[in-house]
Amino acid sequence: MPNIRTRLLVVLVVLFGSLAVAGPTPATAAPLPDSLWFDETPLTVRSGRFVDGNGREVVLRGYNVSGETKLKENNGLPFASTADAKKSATALRALGGGNSVRFLLSWAYAEPVRGQVDTVYLAKATDQIRAFLDAGIRVYPDFHQDLYSRWLFDTDSWYTGDGAPKWAVDLGDYPDEYCGICPFWGQNITSNEAVKQSTYDFWHNEYGLQDAFLDTAQKTMTYLRQNLTADRFAGVVGFDPYNEPHAGSYDSGQTSRTWERDVLWPFYEKFRARMDAAGWQDKPLFAEPNLFWNANLDFQKQEGGLLDTGTLGPRYVFNTHFYDQKAISGIFMWGKAADGQYAGDFGTVRDRAAVTGTTAIISEFGHPLTGSVSDKAPTVYKAMYQALDSRVKGASWWSNPAGSGPVLSGSQWQWDIYNGRHHELMNDNPDKVQTSGDAWNGEDLSAVRLDDSGTPVLRQDARLLDRIYPSATSGTTVAFTYEDRSRDGSTTLTWNPVPSSLPSVAQLVGSGQYGLLLWRSNSGTAPTELHLPATFPTASTTVVSDLGTAYAPPSYGSATPVGVAAEPGGAGSRRLLLTDTDSGVLHYALVTNGATAPSAALLTAARSELSTWAARNAG
């Protein structure tokens, strides 16, 4: 929503100091290993989608890297070393199937002394970001905070925070922190007066706090741009200015909705101006509404969702989080998640993005992997990924694929290789050393850990995490679904079986996994691509498409309508590439690992069934 005020802010920032942080000009980087002619282009937002330089719709899937940034043990960095970052990036690509990360940064460590940016911290963060870019993983940084700052909390407190520097806390005469009866750390947001008052001060720029933050953010973005090659900087998607914004407390007569309009949105406009001044003009700002706008507990929900900002357009992304607080509570949801559990919640995200004229991303979602409610995790995660893929539940998908809506981008919370191996002195208390889980307020949500040999291994079912998804679609996505056959204990979860009305397709899929994409072509020359999980080795992958059929698809070539290639970055991950040469035509592609050497007759019959079904239901 660029307007006169925003443009004036840009002019003022440029005229009265660019706040640039000096750094060497990096040399031009060599192409990524395994990259092809259509790879490594920057993303923009167009027509409500992420779009690459070839005009393809792009879906970002990955993880938050990581909650380690919230800890002091590695001084606000996701990794202890660049070597660990490289190890993690390779594993995230090869084991977790990710093509993007939300990369957490800490204001506290970026500006430990007021007005002085720590270039050593920025250099280490940049090296770690580069490790992901070099693995072919796109990055969007996030200045992270929870409960405003760790320096609000007493050494013997039950809880801690992260975000603002110690000097920012010292400026305020805040009361001694106290949450009362708060079994969940998030209750501090609305119950702890120290958190509420300090948060309020930030939003109202008391002591110049917000100005200082914006200055540091601009210097950080300038440093990143100056110290990444142009090719690597193209892999930086945008910037998430502030994690989970909340007012702290409201002024008299103010509501959550008017706070978004009068306080939060002007902050985003200021941050947008700083992005422009730092050379990020072509990258979107990932704007989060107030934290509780889409809470699924009625007593937590607060009106919002950027309802009064009008059209955001291509310079912003509608960016939100979603956690099933009913499931996490252990009280308000007794059973497990079911088919279509979050179709409505994620449908609301799609609707808000459409109304605001931009694309959406769910930049955090997850569920505890240990503890009293961890038994729900397999079904909660499956239902969340299902809702990212389509707004239609599995039982209805085959009869209503056109109702799917756009495939949503998302970043699971989280990817922390140090899970269970931390050594964090909680609030600097040597008697409260945190080692288990995520080492932060009792959380345990990391999808990964290191085994005893130092090798990253998954803590969740690989069939759930490493998924088929349309990473780039040459045209407009009409519908997508993926049946991952992930497990809840010894039970295989199948929420989207192939209907009996398609007997050849059902025979081909059998008990295997399958993905099905429908798209309408747009005369683009770059192929449509889908990520292939490790459970889809080329030798046992079957593709049935109107473009052709293949068992053990051949290597990609410009004259090969259905082919396989490595994903860029050299991590060993692979993709399916589908090439059409027309415009406005409905195409489909079924990808499955359920068949062993299917006959030509079966492939032909499955193709005939799918062609008839697609024309009837999506044509």
Side-chain angles (χ1 to χ4, degrees), residues 304-322:
L306 306 180
L307 295 170
D308 301 299
T309 54
T311 300
L312 302 184
R315 286 165 57 77
Y316 296 89
V317 169
F318 187 81
N319 170 25
T320 189
H321 296 174
F322 184 81

Side-chain angles (χ1 to χ4, degrees), residues 417-492:
I417 61 172
Y418 308 116
N419 177 271
R421 296 173 179 269
H422 293 282
H423 189 84
E424 172 72 2
L425 277 61
M426 186 174 180
N427 299 318
D428 298 319
N429 187 338
D431 296 325
K432 295 190 72 173
V433 179
Q434 307 295 300
T435 59
S436 63
D438 301 338
W440 194 86
N441 285 344
E443 290 197 335
D444 187 6
L445 286 89
S446 178
V448 70
R449 64 177 178 86
L450 297 177
D451 66 14
D452 290 342
S453 70
T455 301
V457 293
L458 295 179
R459 301 178 65 228
Q460 295 177 266
D461 187 351
R463 288 180 286 192
L464 171 76
L465 298 181
D466 190 12
R467 310 174 62 80
I468 290 178
Y469 59 92
S471 50
T473 301
S474 184
T476 302
T477 302
V478 175
F480 174 71
T481 190
Y482 180 53
E483 178 49 76
D484 56 46
R485 312 272 194 187
S486 58
R487 295 160 292 190
D488 180 9
S490 61
T491 301
T492 298

